[in-house]
Amino acid sequence: MATPTHVIRVPRPEPGAFNPHRPLKKNALLLHQVRHFKKIERRLPKHQKTGIPLGAIRTEAQAAEYLRKMMAVLHPQTAAAGRSEPLP
Amino acid sequence: MPAGLDNLKHIVVLMMENRSFDHMLGGLKALDSRINGLTGAETNPDTNGEPAPVLPNAAFQSQLDPDPDHHFAAVDKQIFDGASSRVPSMQGFVKSYWDQRRDVTHSRKIMYYFAPDSLPVLTSLARSFAVFNGWFSSIPGPTICNRAFAHYGTSFGSVTMDPFVVRPPYLSVYDRLLNGGRTTKLYYFDPASSTMEVVNLLSRQPAVFGTFDQFLEDCGRGTLPDYSFIEPNYTDHEAEDGAELLASDQHPDHNVQQGEIFIASVYSAIQQNPNLWTSTALLIVYDEHGGIYDHVPPPACTPDGCAAPASATGTGAPFQFDRLGVRVPAILVSPWIARATVVAGPEDPVNGRAFEHASIPATVTEHFLGAFENRSPREKAAPTFLSLLGDTLRPMSDIPAFHID
């Protein structure tokens, strides 16, 4: 099969776009996602709880770390592998 | 049966976050008058009564702060502008955004849209394959209840971000497929981004899930399941090796260009496997408009058989699930689709169709399982989209490819 000849250039975001310290309260979607995980966590046995109180999750980075810990419990099939490579 | 449909073995859906059709693709009307985008004359009144025009000034980041309100009551205001007549005028977007910061100048930014060359991936795919003039979010409300329609064909009466309760006889599209001996996977980006389907699916059916890395591997090895649903990265976070991973969901205030790269990566993974490319249809769609302006009034629709009480809508009135939400971008990609297909929407009262997220399980179920009775009234009424695949396989010389700079 031939390769495409119409190649479109896609720019990358400007340096500085990465903002893991963005306040969680600025993203209603992520805030609710964390709350959903908290509801699930309440049903977990004590040894599987993260010990992270909801009030301690204030930034995207903290939310991501909390989700990572919860996924290690809920979806151990893939949680251990994580993701090591950024997109091309 | 058209050859494209006869060859179709895989359906892939990528659902992005919170951008309206006009915001992302409205500028394409200037390049193709069939696309129901912006003329440039559209306005909304601001709180001083002055018209705020649409302008091609949308920024990739740091413009829509705070996150525009897209809960049910706010969207109701955006659509109806408080009119007692309940005629959808799409005149309340600027006033709704003003409610959050009470800054008139800032509130007018909700009318901004991207010039087409700012979004080379989305606009190239829209112009090369099929763009829908009439794909609407399923509910004039937020993410979770809208995404529910993509997975179940109903939100079981929810119009909010709260977890909903799945009630028989309706099954998720994943359950239907697995029960029918088919294969399916819901790919989330990585564990630190996770999935929006945590309560009903992940906590009960972890085997249905995989990561985006696994999606890329499955594409490369030719082991993609019959049906795949992909979730973008929802958080800016570091990988385990410290690499910066930008959110790619395009949810304000996440970087829109990173979302472009993510869309390109999904497309390229399919396109670079020749067998997969000719046997796969990729739908790129957004879950809801995120409070951002669109000029097309959402049409009435088949009621869902559910009702949301006034306490849930926040408008003082219940909702009967009898009107769709605001229009969102939707593009169907396949080499079996004629170049520059524009799928008519409400602007064409004769041939136009109103697609919504219930069209996803309706299409997947119809193609892989055939007749299936236990589906919501909304899903049964939702149009399916595989008739866009024809008999002619386009050559690769007619297919776009992307290079990340």
Side-chain angles (χ1 to χ4, degrees), chain A residues 1-14 16-20 22 26-30 32-33 36-37 39-40 43 60-61 63-65 67-69 71-72 74-75 77-88, chain B residues 17 61 65 67 120-121 124 143 161 163 188-196 198 202-203 206 209 211-214 235-241 244-246 251 253-255 257-258 262 271 274 396-397 399-405:
Chain A
M1 180 178 283
T3 55
T5 54
H6 182 40
V7 178
I8 295 157
R9 301 174 72 96
V10 183
R12 291 182 184 278
E14 293 290 321
F18 184 64
N19 183 14
R22 186 182 289 114
K26 288 197 170 189
N27 185 331
L29 176 66
L30 193 52
H32 280 84
Q33 190 188 23
H36 291 188
F37 271 90
K39 288 188 177 181
I40 297 290
R43 302 204 298 255
E60 282 196 20
E65 184 55 26
L67 298 181
R68 192 196 309 269
K69 288 182 175 177
M71 290 300 283
L74 296 174
H75 203 219
Q77 301 95 313
T78 56
R83 181 183 175 83
S84 57
E85 295 295 325
L87 290 170
Chain B
E17 277 285 320
Q61 199 167 7
D65 182 7
D67 177 15
V121 176
S124 296
T143 288
M161 292 291 284
Y188 58 82
F189 184 74
D190 73 2
S193 170
S194 185
T195 169
M196 289 299 154
V198 59
L202 179 66
S203 63
F209 289 79
T211 63
F212 187 64
D213 276 349
Q214 291 171 345
T235 65
D236 280 9
H237 64 273
E238 291 185 351
E240 292 185 352
D241 65 357
E244 293 182 352
L245 298 175
L246 268 73
H251 188 294
D253 187 39
H254 290 153
N255 190 279
Q257 287 179 304
Q258 189 65 25
F262 188 70
Q271 183 248 309
M396 291 304 275
S397 58
I399 299 297
F402 298 109
H403 174 77
I404 313 300
D405 281 343

Side-chain angles (χ1 to χ4, degrees), chain B residues 158-179:
Chain B
S158 173
V159 294
T160 74
M161 292 291 284
D162 294 333
F164 49 86
V165 178
V166 176
R167 290 194 297 269
Y170 305 138
L171 298 172
S172 73
V173 66
Y174 313 98
D175 281 320
R176 298 177 205 172
L177 291 169
L178 294 173
N179 292 347

